[in-house]
Amino acid sequence: MAADWLGSLVSINCGPTLGVYQGEVSSVDQTSQTISLRQPFHNGVKCPVPEVTFSAIDIKELKILDIRNDNARTNSATSTKMSSLSVAVPKGDPRSVEKLNSPQQCSKSHLDALGQLKEFRRRHNSWSSSSRGANQVTPKKNGVKNGQMKQRDDECFGDGVDDGLDTDFDFEGNLALFDKAAVFSEIDTSERRNGVRSRGTPQDQTPSRYRHDENILEAKPVVYRQITVPQPGAIEYCTDSGLVVPSISYELYKRLLSVAERHGLTLERRLEMTGVCASQMALTLLGGPNRFTPKNLHQHPTVALLCGPHVQGAQGISCGRHLANHEVEVILFLPNFVKMLDSVTSELTLFNKTGGKQVSSIKDLPDTPVDLIINCLDCHENTFLMDQPWYRAAADWSNQNRAPVLSLDPPVSGQGHAVEAKWSLSLCLPLPLAEGAGRVYLCDIGVPRQVFQEVGIKYHSPFGCKFVIPLHSA
């Protein structure tokens, strides 16, 4: 009967206009199709009136939150009838929606299923605490026992939780059941039987290892000897990637520069390009980005530049100008010669505009070790300079200063080296240098490929994305 639902707690959704009401069922009138709620709450706020009546036309959804009348649970032989009001079960429940219409019966099993939601609904409604009985006390969090905690978990998440999930899974034991060798052997046997090339077992096959900058998809074989010269020198070098760079004689080197100058690569352009590449290498040797930072302005590196009255000296002065522009303290040693090349004079004029220091005597050079010495004393053609007093004094100062030395465009090995260098920077193509030249580097001064072809050199640039690369003895 409709009276069996009296005292139950329900939630009535009347749409967006009227809102949601919650309260205790005080009366159900089947004739007028109305239902009344005692002590109602409207949208979570208690209503000022003690009772509200709803018509079936205004009700969009009706949810039974708590069945207070025990007769509705125990009366299994009697069929109960209600008005055509919808009783909605929470979404996801197997009993999705039960409609209690006047011609439809609601059995005891349905009522028991709704009764199981009692504690769940009580915990998840804002007004459920006020609907507890006098003997119902909310347990304190700090004093909850393990049994009560487990009961609350069962109320929230259901009592069908498998207790076996508390046992940790034995990964090692499960992995021991898998015989990888037998599986790979079976795969290999199957592939051989079907005529498919076997991939092999991990023990039989060593995977290829590639660097992060290597291309694993090679369209064609790599040719490592991409530079061939008509008269190869006595030494061959190779780059980090394995490309062979042969050395050339000084006669071929001089002819190459002559053809390049005839095509427009003048001495001024070569001096500027050499100065840029040499200064970039020197900045890297001095510490690079780790040292040249705004927070390190009190520790400017000091570079001593030893130059002579020739093209190599002009290259060194150009390098010193770029270093001075990058906040490096450059000390240029250049004796007072009666006659100097025009290129040396022009480069010296530009260097003096940077604020660098120029000295003409060895006594004016620092007594303490500097950060780097750039040696530009040697000349390819004039070997008599090595007998000059200023040359011997500069070489002795360099060898006693205990600073690392970078030789710029050093001569071939037959002439010897008065200054022991740690690094040597060659231009365009290397010359056969002696062991005293240190580690050899190569810089690109911009000679076009057609110029190489004109002197009989088959040339393919080994520089890649750089202008200065290291060379190794092949």
Side-chain angles (χ1 to χ4, degrees), residues 178-188:
F178 176 66
D179 190 354
K180 292 192 291 185
V183 172
F184 278 107
S185 177
E186 182 180 353
I187 294 175
D188 185 57

Side-chain angles (χ1 to χ4, degrees), residues 63-81:
K63 296 181 180 179
I64 298 178
L65 306 178
D66 191 0
I67 302 176
R68 289 292 185 88
N69 195 341
D70 294 336
N71 294 332
R73 299 186 183 184
T74 58
N75 188 9
S76 59
T78 306
S79 300
T80 61
K81 296 184 180 181

Side-chain angles (χ1 to χ4, degrees), residues 148 249 261 300:
Q148 294 177 341
S249 61
E261 187 169 0
H300 293 293

